[in-house]
Amino acid sequence: MDDTLILQRIRIASAGKSRLISLCCNMVTVNGAKTLNLGDDNYGIDAGKPANLIVLDAEDCYDAIRKRAAVRYVISRGKLLAATVPAKMSFYSV
């Protein structure tokens, strides 16, 4: 098998994983809200909506799942309820 074919297969596998992770994120966010019948007035980030959300320590959905990202902030009705301080690592000379 030549290198071009191997790289092509890697790209296809990566694209499939990315799509799967995107579907998983939508399952617990957008589709979860639909299942709970929250409606457009009570779900999403927009002016006038209730602002109930969590902020994860991740750059995107893939990173959140891969790292099992910690919850950094919990916000309910626009008010900060909880904040997690990231762990700090210190190095010492031996």
Side-chain angles (χ1 to χ4, degrees):
M1 188 180 304
D2 68 358
D3 291 346
T4 306
L5 187 56
I6 292 171
L7 289 173
Q8 189 176 32
R9 287 186 177 181
I10 290 171
R11 281 190 206 108
I12 290 169
S14 295
K17 288 180 185 175
S18 178
R19 172 125 172 85
L20 181 61
I21 287 174
S22 178
L23 289 171
C24 289
C25 285
N26 283 341
M27 182 174 62
V28 298
T29 57
V30 176
N31 293 333
K34 287 178 184 175
T35 300
L36 295 171
N37 293 317
L38 294 180
D40 290 336
D41 295 336
N42 294 313
Y43 180 78
I45 299 175
D46 207 355
K49 294 189 178 179
N52 299 319
L53 60 118
I54 60 169
V55 178
L56 299 176
D57 188 15
E59 293 183 26
D60 53 31
C61 285
Y62 182 81
D63 199 34
I65 292 170
R66 182 182 63 81
K67 290 184 354 181
R68 296 183 186 178
V71 175
R72 291 291 310 273
Y73 303 103
V74 177
I75 300 170
S76 178
R77 296 185 179 136
K79 301 207 184 287
L80 182 64
L81 292 183
T84 303
V85 178
K88 179 183 173 188
M89 180 180 284
S90 300
F91 293 93
Y92 302 97
S93 60
V94 182

